[in-house]
Amino acid sequence: MSSRELRSKAWNQLKGRYWMVFVVVLIYFAISGASYPLIVGLVVVGPLTVGLSYYLIDIVESDSKGDQFELLIEGFKKSLATSIIANLLVMIFTFLWFLLFIIPGIIKSLAYSMTPYIIADNPDIEPMDAIDKSREMMHGNKMRLFFLYFSFIGWFLLSALTLGVGFIFLMPYIQTTVANFYVDLRGSKKVLVADFSEN
């Protein structure tokens, strides 16, 4: 799908459930933002990001009402260790690439970006397998994701006029669009350990 098609699909999916998604995304960013500067952030952010991925995949695939807020803690229930370790490894790898230069860091952050979605689809996957699978999925697709983010530039500019407040209301749209990007890459079949081991 093109960036326009992904945005349009997300826009339609948010109709009638925007405020549900808004609440979940707001909770996610509030908890992540508060915990990141603290040691507890190393334990909380990974599973919480996987939980958000569970929730968004449910929205874009099941056409659910968006009221299953409990999905936000699925990362803690089903893949706690994997989520924590994978998030720490992604942080370390990305930081090391950023030490080389900004552009390699951005490229690698895009390469690792599907990791929480892969864990959400396959809670039993090993942390490095999830990261490697993300790199594999994003091979040849990193610029697609970059331009997908860039396609929101008009919304970003409008949000900037609100002194940043608009970004809070924009994030559900962006997050849902990226979830559609992942599902589009993955296809209808979930990413399984068996699939990975055969590659």
Side-chain angles (χ1 to χ4, degrees), residues 137-151:
M137 290 180 72
M138 291 302 292
H139 181 71
N141 290 298
K142 290 184 284 294
M143 287 304 294
R144 279 189 63 205
L145 182 56
F146 176 82
F147 283 120
L148 178 60
Y149 280 121
F150 189 77
S151 70

Side-chain angles (χ1 to χ4, degrees), residues 35-98:
S35 61
Y36 243 128
L38 308 173
I39 296 297
V40 68
L42 300 177
V43 176
V44 170
V45 174
L48 197 64
T49 304
V50 170
L52 180 63
S53 300
Y54 271 107
Y55 177 83
L56 292 170
I57 290 172
D58 183 62
I59 290 288
V60 305
E61 284 202 306
S62 304
D63 196 32
S64 67
K65 295 179 180 179
D67 57 354
Q68 299 188 54
F69 300 125
E70 67 275 9
L71 291 177
L72 193 56
I73 62 171
E74 286 297 287
F76 293 94
K77 294 165 59 178
K78 295 183 177 179
S79 55
L80 181 62
T82 297
S83 300
I84 293 172
I85 295 170
N87 182 63
L88 286 173
L89 290 174
V90 167
M91 288 174 60
I92 293 169
F93 295 159
T94 304
F95 173 74
L96 292 175
W97 280 103
F98 268 111

Side-chain angles (χ1 to χ4, degrees), residues 10-28 52 55-56 59 64-69 72 165-173 176:
W11 185 269
N12 289 327
Q13 289 163 341
L14 286 171
K15 290 179 180 177
R17 57 178 68 86
Y18 170 83
W19 290 109
M20 296 286 190
V21 181
F22 173 81
V23 168
V24 171
V25 172
L26 183 63
I27 291 172
Y28 167 77
L52 180 63
Y55 177 83
L56 292 170
I59 290 288
S64 67
K65 295 179 180 179
D67 57 354
Q68 299 188 54
F69 300 125
L72 193 56
V165 175
F167 286 112
I168 300 173
F169 296 94
L170 177 59
M171 289 313 298
Y173 184 25
T176 306

Side-chain angles (χ1 to χ4, degrees), residues 168-186:
I168 300 173
F169 296 94
L170 177 59
M171 289 313 298
Y173 184 25
I174 295 175
Q175 294 292 324
T176 306
T177 303
V178 174
N180 276 292
F181 175 85
Y182 166 74
V183 171
D184 184 51
L185 281 186
R186 187 204 67 193

